[in-house]
Amino acid sequence: MKYGKGGDDLNIGKKPIIFVVHSMGGLVLKKAYVQGQRDRVYGEIVAQIRAALFLSTPHRGTRLADFLNGLLSVGILGHSSKQFIAELSRNSPTIEELNDSFRHYAPALQLFFFYETVETSVAGKNMMLLQQSSSTLGYPGEVSQPLNANHHEVCKFSSREDPNYQSVCSVLRDLVKQFKDTASSISKSNSLSRAQSIEGFLGVSIVPEKDYTSLLDKRKAAYSGYLRVLDRENRYTAFLISHLKTKSYNYGYFFFHHGDSAKQTPADLFKSLAYQMSCFIPDYEASLALLSDNGLKIDTMDARTIWQKLFLSALFELSSEALLYWIIDVLDDSDRAIAIIDFLSHIKTSKTPIHVLITSRSDPITKTPVASICLDDADDIRRHAASEKQYMPGNPKIR
C-alpha cells in the first residue's frame, strides 16, 4: 500500500481504511498489522486502519490435518509446504504467537467475523472446513455473524439481493457513515481550534461580528417616526456589509472608534483584517499558523512590521480568483489616518485583487488621493432604499 501504484492518488494514509479479508488473508492481515505497528515507516498507514471484516479466517487453526488438506484441495491456500501446514495446526506456536501479538493492538480496530455454515465438498466428501469457534477471536466488542455459504463461496455473492451480500454490505455501509461523520466532526472541531489559535496569536480581543451586530442595533434605533436620522458611523456601512454577507463574498471590516484603545491604531486594523481573512482563506490561515508556530510575537511589533509580516509577505503572495473586500469605517477616528492610507496604497502589489471602501468625515487630514465611492447610480440607490426599508416602522404600504 505504501509503495503501490496510485497510493498518492488514493490518499493512502490520510483516510480511514477498512479491510475485507477471506480465509488465510485474515492471518496475513493480522501479521502485517502487527508488523506495521512496530515499524515507524508504516505508521501513517497503520494509523488509518480502522476496521476489518474477516470471512472464514482460521484464527485458531484446526485439530485435523484433513481440514488443512481440504483447504489446499479447494485452492484456498495454493501451493504450501508441510512445515507451513504444521504451523497452522490448532494451538500451534505460530498461531498462538500471532494471536497474542495481535490482541495488544486489536482494541484500536472494529472487528467483524463472518463464519461459514454450509459444508464444502472436498474430494467428493462434504465437510465443514472451519468451525465458528475458529472463525472468531472472542475479543471484547467483536461482532460475529453467520453466512449461508461454504468456505469457498463465503466471499462470493450471486447478486445484490443475496442475503450474504446484504449482511456484509450493511456493516461496510455503517462503517463508512460512521467514519464520515467522525471526520466531519473532527474537521469542525479542528477549524474552531485553529480559529481560536489564530485569534490568540493576533491578539484580537474584539470579534468583528460583535461590532456589526452593534451597528445593526444602531441602525434600527436611528429611525424617529418616519424620519431617518443618519449619523456618520452607520451611514451605508451596515448596508454594504449585509450585501457582502448575502452574496457570500470574502470580506473584512473594521470600525475605528475614538476613545476605544482597541479601535484606534493601524495595528488594531491590520490584526482584525488578518483574522477575518484567515476565516475565508485556508491557505492564509495556514500561513498565520506557521508564523505562530515559528514563535512570531505580534504583540511586540509596530504597525509597519505587522503590515509587512501579515500582508506584504503573506496574504499578498497568495493567488485567488475570488476578490477580497475591505470596509474601513470612520477612518478619522484613527490616531494615524494618513499612515493607514499610505499602507493601503500598497494593496496594488497583492496577487489577489482587493477592493477597499473607506468612510470618513470631511476632514483636511484625509485630503489624500483616494478613490471615492458614492451612491449616485439608480440601481445602487434602489438597493440601498430596499435594504433600509425593513428597519422603518409602519405597515408595508407606508414603507
Side-chain angles (χ1 to χ4, degrees):
M1 293 178 70
K2 182 175 179 64
Y3 301 107
K5 183 178 180 181
D8 292 339
D9 296 335
L10 296 175
N11 287 324
I12 298 297
K14 299 178 182 178
K15 295 183 177 180
I17 300 171
I18 304 170
F19 275 97
V20 181
V21 289
H22 173 235
S23 191
M24 294 292 295
L27 302 183
V28 174
L29 170 62
K30 290 197 297 182
K31 185 66 174 179
Y33 185 70
V34 170
Q35 291 181 337
Q37 289 282 1
R38 297 171 177 174
D39 191 336
R40 293 182 180 179
V41 173
Y42 304 100
E44 188 179 56
I45 294 177
V46 171
Q48 290 298 332
I49 299 176
R50 307 293 179 82
L53 283 66
F54 295 93
L55 308 182
S56 289
T57 292
H59 296 287
R60 302 182 186 281
T62 181
R63 297 188 184 92
L64 304 175
D66 288 344
F67 168 77
L68 296 172
N69 289 329
L71 286 178
L72 290 173
S73 64
V74 296
I76 298 301
L77 295 179
H79 179 70
S80 300
S81 67
K82 292 183 178 180
Q83 179 60 34
F84 186 67
I85 296 175
E87 290 177 348
L88 291 176
S89 62
R90 190 166 183 82
N91 299 322
S92 74
T94 301
I95 289 290
E96 290 187 351
E97 180 184 356
L98 176 57
N99 287 337
D100 185 61
S101 299
F102 183 68
R103 69 182 176 85
H104 294 292
Y105 305 107
L109 302 174
Q110 294 189 53
L111 302 176
F112 299 84
F113 301 90
F114 295 88
Y115 56 91
E116 62 204 64
T117 57
V118 176
E119 294 181 338
T120 301
S121 177
V122 180
K125 181 180 180 180
N126 291 334
M127 58 186 300
M128 189 64 70
L129 294 185
L130 199 62
Q131 301 293 333
Q132 177 185 350
S133 60
S134 188
S135 298
T136 60
L137 285 169
Y139 292 162
E142 73 174 40
V143 177
S144 61
Q145 186 173 339
L147 293 180
N148 185 32
N150 61 33
H151 189 85
H152 190 57
E153 300 293 334
V154 76
C155 61
K156 300 177 181 180
F157 311 106
S158 59
S159 68
R160 290 179 179 273
E161 286 69 40
D162 186 334
N164 292 339
Y165 172 84
Q166 293 179 351
S167 295
V168 175
C169 249
S170 177
V171 172
L172 287 172
R173 191 178 296 111
D174 289 344
L175 287 171
V176 170
K177 182 179 184 303
Q178 176 189 142
F179 296 147
K180 280 186 175 181
D181 291 345
T182 300
S184 176
S185 176
I186 291 175
S187 177
K188 291 179 181 178
S189 177
N190 288 343
S191 295
L192 177 60
S193 177
R194 285 194 299 269
Q196 292 172 339
S197 177
I198 297 299
E199 182 178 334
F201 164 62
L202 295 173
V204 180
S205 59
I206 299 178
V207 179
E209 189 68 24
K210 293 181 180 179
D211 279 338
Y212 173 64
T213 302
S214 176
L215 190 63
L216 289 180
D217 292 339
K218 288 183 180 181
R219 190 182 185 198
K220 294 176 182 178
Y223 285 96
S224 175
Y226 301 117
L227 175 65
R228 175 70 200 276
V229 180
L230 294 173
D231 62 40
R232 64 181 178 84
E233 293 184 358
N234 65 6
R235 181 178 53 194
Y236 306 132
T237 306
F239 162 69
L240 292 172
I241 295 174
S242 295
H243 178 70
L244 293 173
K245 288 171 70 73
T246 301
K247 296 295 184 179
S248 298
Y249 290 140
N250 296 340
Y251 64 93
Y253 52 87
F254 187 82
F255 306 139
F256 282 107
H257 193 283
H258 181 71
D260 188 335
S261 60
K263 300 180 182 179
Q264 283 188 294
T265 70
D268 297 329
L269 166 67
F270 299 154
K271 290 188 289 186
S272 178
L273 288 177
Y275 171 74
Q276 293 177 78
M277 294 301 96
S278 72
C279 295
F280 289 108
I281 309 171
D283 287 345
Y284 186 51
E285 181 186 56
S287 296
L288 295 183
L290 182 60
L291 292 176
S292 177
D293 292 342
N294 289 338
L296 192 69
K297 301 296 183 183
I298 294 295
D299 55 350
T300 63
M301 296 180 178
D302 59 21
R304 184 168 299 279
T305 305
I306 292 176
W307 176 256
Q308 173 67 43
K309 295 290 185 180
L310 302 187
F311 294 93
L312 296 181
S313 301
L315 181 63
F316 291 2
E317 291 299 313
L318 301 176
S319 298
S320 173
E321 295 181 358
L323 298 177
L324 302 180
Y325 296 88
W326 293 353
I327 295 178
I328 301 172
D329 197 38
V330 197
L331 177 64
D332 46 302
D333 268 2
S334 165
D335 61 3
R336 295 179 59 194
I338 293 180
I340 289 173
I341 292 176
D342 180 58
F343 285 126
L344 294 176
S345 67
H346 292 88
I347 64 173
K348 60 186 177 183
T349 66
S350 174
K351 294 180 180 179
T352 298
I354 303 175
H355 293 186
V356 182
L357 171 68
I358 299 174
T359 69
S360 178
R361 294 169 297 187
S362 178
D363 192 292
I365 197 171
T366 59
K367 296 300 183 180
T368 306
V370 179
S372 61
I373 299 177
C374 60
L375 297 179
D376 57 1
D377 178 85
D379 290 336
D380 286 341
I381 295 173
R382 188 178 298 107
R383 282 194 292 269
H384 178 62
S387 176
E388 295 296 301
K389 184 174 64 175
Q390 62 181 307
Y391 297 104
M392 295 180 64
N395 59 50
K397 184 175 181 180
I398 293 177
R399 290 201 292 268

